[in-house]
Amino acid sequence: MAVDELDLMIFQMAVESVRSLSLSFTEKAAEIATRSRGILLFDVRVDGDAEVQRVAAIRYQGDQTGVLALDRQGLVTHHCIVNGTFSHFIAPLEDWHSMPLSMQAKIDPNGPASLFLGALRNAGHMLGS
């Protein structure tokens, strides 16, 4: 089994094991990262999207990133794994997430988050559950 396939399988197992827990999306994203031995890159609220209210990304070895998206109703967390072709969409959100809260408050992540979601949709990744 290739490393990419193993990362995908472990990510999917972590998503399924956390899905029914009564945790917030933020807590679920962190728990999925922990259980799948990934690094949580960001977790941001998305305003103005018709389908998604939050999106998070988890980095894995190689060139893989797990993506989680909470639907508008807050009931379903969709997920997928993408490769490095999305890194230029992920980098601004990762940078924003690593800033102190005082700086985050001055910068709106909605633009980069919307671009990232648009790129996922255009590539057909949005987002199988």
Side-chain angles (χ1 to χ4, degrees):
M1 182 177 297
V3 173
D4 294 350
E5 292 173 1
L6 184 59
D7 287 342
L8 174 61
M9 189 169 77
I10 291 170
F11 174 68
Q12 288 175 329
M13 288 172 56
V15 169
E16 292 304 319
S17 70
V18 170
R19 191 178 293 247
S20 63
L21 298 177
S22 60
L23 301 172
S24 70
F25 179 79
T26 297
E27 293 167 325
K28 285 181 180 181
E31 184 64 22
I32 290 166
T34 299
R35 290 184 184 199
S36 61
R37 296 191 175 147
I39 299 167
L40 183 63
L41 300 178
F42 64 84
D43 167 23
V44 298
R45 180 182 163 137
V46 181
D47 293 324
D49 190 273
E51 299 172 12
V52 173
Q53 67 169 285
R54 294 196 75 82
V55 64
I58 302 167
R59 177 172 293 136
Y60 295 100
Q61 289 183 340
D63 206 13
Q64 302 296 305
T65 302
V67 180
L68 305 165
L70 183 63
D71 76 342
R72 191 41 85 195
Q73 294 73 34
L75 300 175
V76 179
T77 300
H78 299 280
H79 65 280
C80 66
I81 286 216
V82 298
N83 60 27
T85 59
F86 291 89
S87 61
H88 61 284
F89 293 106
I90 292 170
L93 296 165
E94 182 180 4
D95 291 344
W96 178 85
H97 186 76
S98 68
M99 293 176 180
L101 191 55
S102 61
M103 290 184 69
Q104 283 182 353
K106 297 175 185 176
I107 299 171
D108 183 5
N110 273 303
S114 294
L115 290 173
F116 181 47
L117 289 170
L120 288 169
R121 288 178 177 123
N122 287 340
H125 288 295
M126 201 49 198
L127 286 163
S129 56

